[in-house]
Amino acid sequence: MDEKKHMKNLLIIAFFNLFIVFGAAADNLTYSEFSKKYAESAQLYQQSRYQEALNIFDELVNDPFAQEYPSVFLSRSLTLYYLERYDESLKDIEICIQKEPYVLKPIYCRSVIYTALKNYDKALADIDYCLDRNPRWDDANHQKGLIYLNMKKYEEALESFERAINNSDEVKPNFYSDRGFAYYYLKDYHKAKRDFLFALKYTSDDDACLCLVDVCYKLNEFEEGMKYADILIKKGSRVNFAIIDKSYLLFALDRYDEAKEGLDSIFESSNNLSSYHKALSIYYILTDKFDSAIKEIDIAYSLNQKDNDILILKQLFQNGQFNMDIVKDSFMVEEF
């Protein structure tokens, strides 16, 4: 669900446009200085050295000539976005839009920023403005799907992702992985798996790979699920969650000791995760250590009082109505 990859492409386009502007205005500015600075900032940006790139933009946007070209503010806005300085990013994109109110890309970018700020109504208003003028814009349809996904409106998200895929002239893996998330939350696990696997043919998407672990659990494909967990563990990405999720697959295969060994290996780095203590509580339930299970459930509850699975387990113990079928259903990947 990473809209930031597309935002990075927009910044490269902005760089290209700026080179053209400065080349045409060489009489007013030292072209070699500006081109050198922008080339340097582009390189830093591609290397994910955002703060260093921002230092250059901070210098350039204060140049009197640069004030005439909104692309400068667009570029700095996108860099600030990657630094997760969303309020500052919004200020720069507003300047860009004020100077070029009829250009759609800055409005699209503002929608992405509003989404990061969880201001979904404004994000939708901006993206609808874009789609009213260009209904077949695949990235805008995809962005609308992401907004709905964040709003937990999964049917609407699915419809937007479908339009994005149908209107795209190329294969964009994130369109498919994000549609997979919509299917996942709608509990259509076969279609979710199909989309995740398709996306992973073209790109490395750790969120999709992690969700595949849970999808395989839901489909009783335990050995296959462990394969995807091991991919993440081997590459050192999302390791804690991969081990936690893998433990449920091992539970289903009655390989309790292996599950506990994995959980013990991440104790120090996962002790503050409710999902970690929830998994431990399941281990203790399965091995008839109910006092330890209750302790872990209490810790999990103290860390996350909104987790329905934890609330159910806590209530079952309090009522003395423990049911293993409910325990099995408690596995939900929480962090995508």
Side-chain angles (χ1 to χ4, degrees):
M1 294 192 296
D2 187 3
E3 186 67 14
K4 291 186 176 181
K5 293 178 182 178
H6 181 66
M7 292 288 275
K8 179 171 283 191
N9 291 335
L10 287 178
L11 181 52
I12 298 304
I13 294 170
F15 283 135
F16 177 76
N17 291 338
L18 282 164
F19 286 135
I20 296 174
V21 168
F22 294 138
D27 292 339
N28 296 323
L29 289 174
T30 303
Y31 171 76
S32 60
E33 290 181 355
F34 264 93
S35 60
K36 182 179 179 180
K37 287 181 181 295
Y38 270 94
E40 181 183 356
S41 60
Q43 184 177 24
L44 292 169
Y45 184 87
Q46 288 287 18
Q47 295 171 352
S48 300
R49 295 162 63 183
Y50 303 120
Q51 185 57 55
E52 294 172 74
L54 180 62
N55 293 340
I56 297 174
F57 285 126
D58 285 342
E59 177 185 353
L60 291 174
V61 297
N62 289 319
D63 184 277
F65 177 78
Q67 306 306 311
E68 301 176 18
Y69 294 93
S71 296
V72 180
F73 293 95
L74 172 62
S75 299
R76 189 171 71 165
S77 174
L78 299 179
T79 306
L80 286 164
Y81 173 84
Y82 266 88
L83 288 168
E84 299 184 0
R85 292 163 59 175
Y86 302 127
D87 289 322
E88 296 169 78
S89 177
L90 182 61
K91 290 178 181 178
D92 270 1
I93 207 69
E94 293 281 10
I95 294 171
C96 181
I97 292 171
Q98 287 172 8
K99 292 179 180 293
E100 290 186 332
Y102 303 110
V103 179
L104 292 182
K105 281 187 178 178
I107 297 173
Y108 165 91
C109 292
R110 187 172 65 180
S111 175
V112 175
I113 296 166
Y114 275 137
T115 303
L117 290 167
K118 299 183 180 181
N119 193 333
Y120 301 126
D121 289 340
K122 289 187 176 180
L124 276 175
D126 274 348
I127 212 64
D128 282 338
Y129 179 91
C130 294
L131 287 170
D132 284 345
R133 287 149 184 80
N134 186 358
R136 295 181 59 83
W137 188 359
D138 58 344
D139 290 318
N141 279 295
H142 175 251
Q143 165 61 11
K144 188 169 185 177
L146 290 177
I147 298 168
Y148 280 132
L149 203 61
N150 279 280
M151 296 174 72
K152 303 185 187 306
K153 294 184 176 182
Y154 304 124
E155 291 283 1
E156 293 89 339
L158 182 61
E159 291 173 5
S160 293
F161 292 140
E162 292 278 5
R163 285 193 293 270
I165 291 170
N166 292 336
N167 286 313
S168 182
D169 294 328
E170 58 182 298
V171 173
K172 295 186 177 180
N174 59 318
F175 287 11
Y176 289 88
S177 60
D178 289 337
R179 187 176 68 175
F181 284 111
Y183 279 129
Y184 171 82
Y185 289 116
L186 289 168
K187 299 184 179 182
D188 193 337
Y189 300 123
H190 287 286
K191 289 182 179 179
K193 181 181 179 183
R194 177 202 64 192
D195 276 354
F196 289 145
L197 290 176
F198 182 84
L200 289 170
K201 289 180 180 180
Y202 296 90
T203 188
S204 175
D205 187 328
D206 294 341
D207 290 337
C209 195
L210 182 62
C211 196
L212 264 174
V213 181
D214 188 45
V215 167
C216 288
Y217 181 91
K218 297 290 197 299
L219 296 174
N220 294 326
E221 298 171 349
F222 306 126
E223 293 287 353
E224 185 176 356
M226 286 195 290
K227 180 179 72 173
Y228 302 119
D230 288 338
I231 289 172
L232 292 171
I233 295 167
K234 184 176 180 180
K235 69 185 289 192
S237 177
R238 309 296 296 275
V239 173
N240 290 357
F241 291 109
I243 289 175
I244 291 169
D245 298 347
K246 182 180 178 180
S247 70
Y248 287 89
L249 299 167
L250 291 167
F251 293 154
L253 294 168
D254 298 331
R255 292 159 61 176
Y256 306 144
D257 291 340
E258 288 180 62
K260 182 62 161 56
E261 183 179 353
L263 292 171
D264 287 345
S265 72
I266 57 171
F267 170 76
E268 291 187 4
S269 58
S270 300
N271 197 36
N272 63 338
L273 297 175
S274 63
S275 55
Y276 172 76
H277 292 282
K278 182 168 68 173
L280 273 178
S281 73
I282 301 300
Y283 166 77
Y284 287 125
I285 289 168
L286 293 170
T287 55
D288 298 324
K289 299 174 183 177
F290 296 107
D291 289 342
S292 295
I294 293 171
K295 178 182 176 182
E296 293 299 331
I297 291 170
D298 287 341
I299 296 173
Y301 179 75
S302 70
L303 293 168
N304 184 358
Q305 298 180 13
K306 296 181 179 180
D307 187 320
N308 288 331
D309 303 326
I310 295 171
L311 291 172
I312 290 171
L313 289 171
K314 191 174 178 67
Q315 186 174 10
L316 287 173
F317 272 107
Q318 290 174 344
N319 296 339
Q321 297 176 344
F322 185 76
N323 187 322
M324 277 304 302
D325 290 333
I326 296 177
V327 172
K328 180 178 179 181
D329 291 338
S330 73
F331 178 44
M332 286 289 292
V333 177
E334 303 172 55
E335 302 279 346
F336 295 129

